[in-house]
Amino acid sequence: MTKQEEFMWIVQTAILANGINLASREDTRDSYIETYSSTGVRIVMREAIRASRLIPQTMDAADAADEFCIWMFRNHQDTLRKDNPKANVPKWFSR
């Protein structure tokens, strides 16, 4: 597998797990519906494809997928911003 393929495999699996987790919990089902909706998932996957081409040579696929998912999954971004209000998208895949 290429680094790009490894990244996509990790991100796709994380999207599925995150969506199941959010949809199955009453306290997150409604507030994060766009995260696991068809439209929400397609948006994140389009960004994942773009990001997969931008992974720095010195970064491995797993670390890139971690950074991507933490930022692109709104529930993770909310937690990150709660801990660090100045947090911003990682430079390597920002627009």
Side-chain angles (χ1 to χ4, degrees):
M1 267 187 176
T2 67
K3 183 192 299 192
Q4 194 174 3
E5 291 168 332
E6 289 174 357
F7 172 85
M8 292 301 296
W9 182 74
I10 294 167
V11 170
Q12 287 174 336
T13 303
I15 285 171
L16 292 170
N18 191 52
I20 290 167
N21 182 48
L22 292 173
S24 65
R25 291 177 41 207
E26 200 170 313
D27 62 322
T28 58
R29 184 177 302 129
D30 294 334
S31 57
Y32 290 107
I33 193 166
E34 79 285 348
T35 300
Y36 60 85
S37 71
S38 171
T39 301
V41 169
R42 284 194 322 268
I43 290 168
V44 173
M45 285 308 302
R46 290 171 77 91
E47 287 299 307
I49 290 167
R50 187 185 70 78
S52 73
R53 298 180 184 121
L54 302 172
I55 301 168
Q57 198 165 38
T58 57
M59 180 180 275
D60 73 12
D63 290 339
D66 287 348
E67 285 191 8
F68 179 85
C69 291
I70 287 169
W71 188 258
M72 292 301 296
F73 295 3
R74 192 169 68 85
N75 56 309
H76 292 311
Q77 189 182 122
D78 288 348
T79 301
L80 178 66
R81 285 226 162 119
K82 188 182 284 185
D83 294 340
N84 179 5
K86 294 182 180 183
N88 209 343
V89 62
K91 290 187 188 301
W92 67 268
F93 74 89
S94 67
R95 286 190 180 266

